[in-house]
Amino acid sequence: MNVAQQLVNGIIIGHAYALVAVGWTLLLGAARLVNFGHGQIYMVSAFIAWWVMSTTGLPYALAVPLAILASAALGAIMQRLFLRLTLSQDLVNLMIATLGFGQILEGAAGLAFGPKPETFTSPLQAIIFTLGPVWFTAQDTLTVGATILVFLGLYLVLDRTRFGAAVRMVAEDPPLVALYGIQISHVYISIFAFEGAAVAFAAVLIAPRTPILTSMGFEQVVMTFVVVVLGGIGSVGGSYIAGLLLGLFTTFFSALVSPAYTTASIFALLIAFMVLRPGKLAASGNFAR
Amino acid sequence: MKALPAPLRLFGLAALALLGFFLPRLLGGSSHVYDTFGMIATFSAMSYGLDIILSDLGEISLAHTAFFATGAYAAAILSVNDGQGAWVAMAGAVLAALALALVLGMITLRTREFAFSLVTYAAAVVCMNVAANWDFLGGSDGIVGIPPLTLSIGPASFSASQPPQFWPFAYLLLLLTLYVVHRFRRSRLGQAALMVHMNPRLASMCGLAGNQVRLLVFLVSAPISALAGWLYAFQRAYVGTDLFDTYFLVLMLTGVILAGRRLLLGPLLGTALLVGQKSFFSLGAYGDKLILGTVLVGILCFCPKGLANLWRRRSHAAVEK
Amino acid sequence: MSARLQVRNLRVAYDRNLAVSIEHLTVEPGTLAAVIGANGAGKSTLINAIANWSRAAPRLSGEILIDDRAVAGKPADLLARRGVVLVPEGRGVFMGLTVEENLRAGLSAVNAGGKTYSLADIYTLFPRLRERGTTPGGSLSGGERQMLAIGRALRMAPRLLLLDEPSIGLAPRLVSLLLETIRALVDGGLTVFLVEQNVHAAMAVADSLYLLERGRVVASGSVAAMRDDPRIIEAYLGARDG
Ligand SMILES: Nc1ncnc2c1ncn2[C@@H]1O[C@H](COP(=O)(O)OP(=O)(O)OP(=O)(O)O)[C@@H](O)[C@H]1O
Ligand SMILES: [Mg+2]
């Protein structure tokens, strides 16, 4: 085994995990909301970018922002639909509703794009850097760099801006927010738009690694969930580190043990964490409201 | 409404059950109609497993596709690999589901709300992964060649390979499920579950151990979905990883929510509507997904208490006029 | 000049329980009106209803006019931006935000209608807050938290400041200090509607007084007139808890 190469792969995959999860970090940590349609937005974003490139011939660099805009709109629409459930903090129904929304996206994408796997490629994948025993592509470099920037940006926005303060206010005490003159529905809709945009950004960077399928959304949520929980719910820095460690873990697990059972091993990791630090997920924790 | 005297009610129920049995015949009796009714019975039995978690315990389990699939896989393995009869397969399905439920129940014992849902969802994904990769479970090809359902009671033996022959089994399973859910709601466990859900503080003051109640309800619910899976395996003659598809999950959830929670016949009606659509007005697999998702989102956004509540409100309004 | 706040036939109910029923209530611009009454009299329900805000979901009916414009039913955040600013009972600031963030977080429209207080103005008014600028709201003392709550409300250029028991839990000396500060603000032109359990303290600073019992106004008038009212004497001489 080429340990150095696996290490590089792990770092790249880890950044990919973190980037896919960043929208959820904000969603769950700041607004106590979940989105089971997360994986389907990932899928739809990849297909939008692929479709734009293959039908209009636009370059990758233009397809990316289009997909991000479309998915941000999707996130905003989703939250606009669910606003009543969100405002009444009906979290149970909200959760099922996002699952239903994911189902809508999957059905619509199936109708539009069919069941065949498609190849969605980025020109940067062809550019390969070799450093001694290890190699990686320009796309990998972009993924790692973009992830670091997104996390840094999110941290600064949350910590330094008025909008960030509004998000923290919504997380702490939703009714009180209104007395500060802030329309809470705008904050919720913006958070969901960010969630859509962030997962779309992740999709356009990461999906080119494998053929894309309209059924690929189902499993995405699990990895995201594990990243967010292991990172300490709502902690931006924590999610980044959790994603990175998880990437290293899965890379070495599939190299040393079995690639087929990676998801199962992640789940085992999650359970171990829950047993060791039950407070994080228990009813008494901040997790359940 | 005044309650009818007990013998009369029993008679009414029996008449209703008999009517339900002959309903496919009354609707033409074609193989397609029987097939649809068999599907409705099976899938609503599956939904009832989730119903008692969702309606009585107030949590959303996303692992019930895994229980459903566990039942189906147990039936397939026992009847294909070991050549066992349907009864043994049934026992295997129930035991396997109980074991899985016990493990999952212990893991999720202290989680609530979306933590509970997320962990159960993750568990379902993991189960699918295992099924797709473990040769014992047929891997990604699944297990094919499940023999026709044959159940023998004493000297009599009943066998089903065509939809019309299948219907009585599915219908019986549905009736049995309805009876179990009805009894559950009146049992001490059912009452305790409701109390733990509605008023955890009061429940703990009454000496109810919330976690114990939750675990027990989980253990009651899993075999219900697993039995539906057991029957479904014989119905389809093969099992595969598509049993874990979110379609089934969303079907269950929508079935439970569509008509209204904590209504005994709610999941049956909801499932009947959804399966009826798929069977008679299908828009293809993707179109059906789209419809299912739209129904679920629509109900939750505009009428979260279910259609029965809409109807009830309407009749209330009429009375007030 | 027209009244700053007029309330007519206001009824507020939780489920089916009528908690407040008020025929008529007015606050003139540039004055301090105080509402007094026993626990559960409906003081918080009333003041929250004016801001159309609640942590529960009460049902409101009736008319509320701010500077002769009907505002009943307008969302709480809009009212806050238009200068109807409430400092609620209990938790009124964000624990996770620093003092300065709390003071900067409020959003108000240009036509909020009141005097605009800068951050420096607030720090002059409450020097304690300046020292604690980077402290999270959760680490403040009770008194500091009340100052912060009032400070952030002033930052929103209130045309009507609604204060629900700002002095609760404070030491007697701090109570009178806080109320005197509020009085000084009123003398500077601010209009305040204040809920206060301490009848004595309220009388010392208010211009007019409303006595609430079981959701109804049982006595009202200028402080001077109310001082001799037997019901007030009875209430705050301790025949009943005042
Ligand atoms: N969230 C609620 N749900 C139901 N009833 C409520 C609620 N809040 C208040 N009430 C009822 O409304 C009435 C008035 O309550 P309110 O809080 O307005 O009184 P208060 O005068 O502010 O009392 P205190 O001096 O203790 O703050 C009380 O009878 C109370 O029981
Ligand atoms: Mg009060």
Side-chain angles (χ1 to χ4, degrees):
Chain A
M1 188 180 67
N2 182 344
V3 175
Q5 182 64 49
Q6 297 293 3
L7 213 58
V8 169
N9 290 351
I11 290 171
I12 294 163
I13 301 275
H15 280 77
Y17 290 158
L19 188 59
V20 176
V22 69
W24 251 56
T25 304
L26 187 70
L27 210 59
L28 187 53
R32 304 274 179 271
L33 301 176
V34 287
N35 177 13
F36 275 102
H38 186 78
Q40 278 78 17
I41 297 185
Y42 177 93
M43 176 273 294
V44 163
S45 311
F47 268 94
I48 290 174
W50 165 80
W51 182 80
V52 166
M53 284 170 72
S54 61
T55 58
T56 65
L58 281 176
Y60 177 75
L62 279 178
V64 166
L66 281 177
I68 292 176
L69 275 181
S71 294
L74 215 54
I77 292 171
M78 188 172 175
Q79 181 53 30
R80 182 64 198 82
L81 268 176
F82 303 155
L83 206 54
R84 216 170 58 183
L85 296 174
T86 311
L87 292 181
S88 58
Q89 291 284 298
D90 189 349
L91 300 179
V92 167
N93 281 334
L94 189 66
M95 192 159 57
I96 315 180
T98 60
L99 202 65
F101 196 81
Q103 196 72 6
I104 294 178
L105 290 182
E106 200 168 313
L111 285 178
F113 305 118
K116 277 201 322 307
E118 304 287 354
T119 42
F120 166 43
T121 51
S122 153
L124 298 179
Q125 281 170 292
I127 305 170
I128 294 171
F129 303 112
T130 317
L131 273 178
V134 303
W135 64 273
F136 49 89
T137 68
Q139 185 76 12
D140 296 336
T141 325
L142 179 66
T143 305
V144 171
T147 304
I148 293 172
L149 283 182
V150 167
F151 270 86
L152 213 61
L154 179 63
Y155 176 79
L156 289 176
V157 166
L158 277 179
D159 195 55
R160 304 282 155 83
T161 66
R162 281 180 74 121
F163 178 72
V167 171
R168 282 182 286 144
M169 287 158 75
V170 168
E172 183 183 320
D173 187 350
L176 188 59
V177 174
L179 294 185
Y180 278 59
I182 296 170
Q183 199 171 349
I184 195 164
S185 53
H186 285 357
V187 183
Y188 278 126
I189 289 174
S190 311
I191 290 174
F192 255 83
F194 173 80
E195 145 80 358
V199 72
F201 190 42
V204 293
L205 288 181
I206 297 155
R209 300 171 71 94
T210 51
I212 56 174
L213 273 166
T214 54
S215 59
M216 70 184 179
F218 183 47
E219 294 194 44
Q220 287 291 341
V221 176
V222 175
M223 196 60 81
T224 292
F225 165 50
V226 177
V227 168
V228 173
V229 169
L230 294 190
I233 291 138
S235 156
V236 175
S239 285
Y240 175 78
I241 292 171
L244 190 59
L245 292 179
L246 216 56
L248 290 167
F249 173 81
T250 55
T251 307
F252 281 96
F253 185 90
S254 59
L256 295 172
V257 189
S258 148
Y261 292 107
T262 319
T263 313
S265 71
I266 294 282
F267 186 62
L269 207 65
L270 174 71
I271 291 162
F273 181 82
M274 281 167 49
V275 172
L276 292 176
R277 297 188 58 190
K280 270 289 171 201
L281 277 170
S284 54
N286 61 358
F287 199 68
R289 233 175 262 189
Chain B
M1 228 195 317
K2 263 203 338 223
L4 295 169
L8 210 59
R9 246 181 58 201
L10 214 61
F11 180 75
L13 281 176
L16 212 65
L18 215 61
L19 181 72
F21 181 73
F22 288 113
L23 204 55
R25 169 91 47 93
L26 295 176
L27 289 174
S30 70
S31 181
H32 187 55
V33 169
Y34 270 108
D35 192 35
T36 307
F37 271 77
M39 220 68 103
I40 291 175
T42 311
F43 288 150
S44 38
M46 164 182 86
S47 305
Y48 277 106
L50 179 66
D51 184 35
I52 63 174
I53 301 277
L54 189 75
S55 306
D56 297 71
L57 213 52
E59 298 283 5
I60 303 171
S61 159
L62 301 179
H64 271 63
T65 41
F67 295 138
F68 179 66
T70 301
Y73 269 98
I77 289 168
L78 286 170
S79 58
V80 175
N81 298 5
D82 302 347
Q84 298 287 355
W87 286 119
V88 176
M90 181 192 251
V94 170
L95 286 178
L98 278 175
L100 182 63
L102 189 66
V103 172
L104 258 179
M106 299 294 279
I107 293 174
T108 55
L109 202 57
R110 298 187 46 174
T111 57
R112 298 284 184 277
E113 292 192 344
F114 40 95
F116 177 83
S117 303
L118 286 166
V119 176
T120 49
Y121 184 89
V125 173
V126 168
C127 286
M128 184 190 77
N129 248 283
V130 170
N133 289 300
W134 195 7
D135 290 334
F136 175 63
L137 297 177
S140 52
D141 299 333
I143 299 172
V144 293
I146 300 171
L149 178 65
T150 307
L151 280 174
S152 44
I153 303 167
S157 167
F158 305 91
S159 163
S161 53
Q162 297 298 312
Q165 299 162 350
F166 217 91
W167 164 241
F169 294 103
Y171 191 62
L172 263 177
L173 179 70
L174 175 64
L175 289 185
L176 181 75
T177 305
L178 281 173
Y179 178 72
V180 168
V181 171
H182 175 71
R183 290 304 304 240
F184 167 79
R185 295 224 160 111
R186 303 190 145 203
S187 70
R188 278 176 52 189
L189 181 62
Q191 301 286 328
L194 202 61
M195 179 114 96
V196 166
H197 167 202
M198 296 295 181
N199 198 339
R201 285 252 304 280
L202 186 64
S204 70
M205 278 184 339
C206 296
L208 286 169
N211 287 345
Q212 203 183 334
V213 170
R214 289 164 58 92
L215 188 59
L216 283 174
V217 174
F218 214 62
L219 289 177
V220 171
S221 113
I224 296 179
S225 292
L227 276 178
W230 163 80
L231 192 66
Y232 191 58
F234 287 105
Q235 218 163 342
R236 265 211 329 188
Y238 89 97
V239 296
T241 50
D242 62 321
L243 288 174
F244 293 94
D245 199 297
T246 24
Y247 180 81
F248 290 111
L249 180 61
V250 180
L251 179 68
M252 271 190 258
L253 283 167
T254 316
V256 172
I257 290 166
L258 185 57
R261 284 163 235 197
R262 269 190 77 71
L263 291 174
L264 185 59
L265 292 182
L268 173 58
L269 291 176
T271 313
L273 282 175
L274 296 168
V275 174
Q277 177 270 323
K278 195 175 161 67
S279 192
F280 293 109
F281 308 98
S282 176
L283 302 178
Y286 292 122
D288 292 344
K289 268 189 186 185
L290 188 65
I291 291 187
L292 188 56
T294 311
V295 169
L296 182 56
V297 169
I299 281 285
L300 286 169
C301 287
F302 302 110
C303 182
K305 296 228 169 92
L307 291 179
N309 192 59
L310 203 68
W311 179 68
R312 219 177 284 159
R313 251 191 343 222
R314 187 81 37 89
S315 58
H316 263 282
V319 169
E320 271 167 30
K321 268 179 208 162
Chain C
M1 204 195 258
S2 65
R4 175 60 35 96
L5 167 71
Q6 277 177 276
V7 172
R8 292 193 203 127
N9 299 320
L10 177 72
R11 282 156 187 276
V12 189
Y14 296 97
D15 284 329
R16 298 238 164 76
N17 305 323
L18 193 63
V20 156
S21 168
I22 286 174
E23 306 286 303
H24 196 79
L25 186 152
T26 350
V27 179
E28 298 299 329
T31 65
L32 197 171
V35 177
I36 54 177
N39 290 116
K43 307 182 294 296
S44 299
T45 305
L46 166 65
I47 199 167
N48 288 347
I50 295 169
N52 196 16
W53 182 87
S54 177
R55 290 193 185 275
R59 268 184 318 173
L60 275 63
S61 69
E63 275 181 276
I64 297 169
L65 299 121
I66 302 284
D67 291 323
D68 291 333
R69 280 178 51 185
V71 299
K74 294 244 192 307
D77 57 281
L78 181 74
L79 286 176
R81 287 196 298 279
R82 296 278 171 79
V84 181
V85 185
L86 168 69
V87 174
E89 186 174 27
R91 295 210 316 191
V93 299
F94 287 96
M95 309 292 174
L97 268 57
T98 65
V99 167
E100 192 170 324
E101 279 175 331
N102 263 296
L103 289 174
R104 285 185 191 279
L107 212 62
S108 67
V110 275
N111 58 351
K115 180 184 164 201
T116 309
Y117 292 82
S118 68
L119 211 56
D121 293 338
I122 304 298
Y123 286 150
T124 317
L125 207 58
F126 302 112
R128 276 299 288 159
L129 292 184
R130 190 201 306 273
E131 298 161 29
R132 315 226 63 184
T134 54
T135 314
S139 315
L140 298 180
S141 75
E144 288 166 342
R145 220 172 273 171
Q146 280 304 346
M147 291 176 203
L148 178 57
I150 294 171
R152 79 89 199 156
L154 290 174
R155 290 273 292 137
M156 298 181 66
R159 70 172 80 206
L160 174 64
L161 180 60
L162 304 162
L163 298 174
D164 193 349
E165 300 198 41
S167 66
I168 198 154
L170 300 190
R173 209 181 55 81
L174 261 173
V175 172
S176 50
L177 198 68
L178 191 71
L179 291 179
E180 273 159 30
T181 311
I182 293 167
R183 180 68 233 181
L185 290 167
V186 173
D187 292 335
L190 189 68
T191 312
V192 176
F193 189 67
L194 169 79
V195 167
E196 181 57 64
Q197 287 236 16
N198 185 334
V199 181
H200 199 64
M203 283 205 160
V205 292
D207 297 305
S208 59
L209 216 56
Y210 287 88
L211 175 62
L212 226 55
E213 259 176 36
R214 284 195 219 97
R216 288 166 201 280
V217 176
V218 293
S220 65
S222 71
V223 167
M226 293 281 280
R227 221 180 280 281
D228 305 322
D229 193 297
R231 282 163 298 200
I232 299 286
I233 294 170
E234 180 197 8
Y236 97 97
L237 281 184
R240 229 170 311 162
D241 191 289

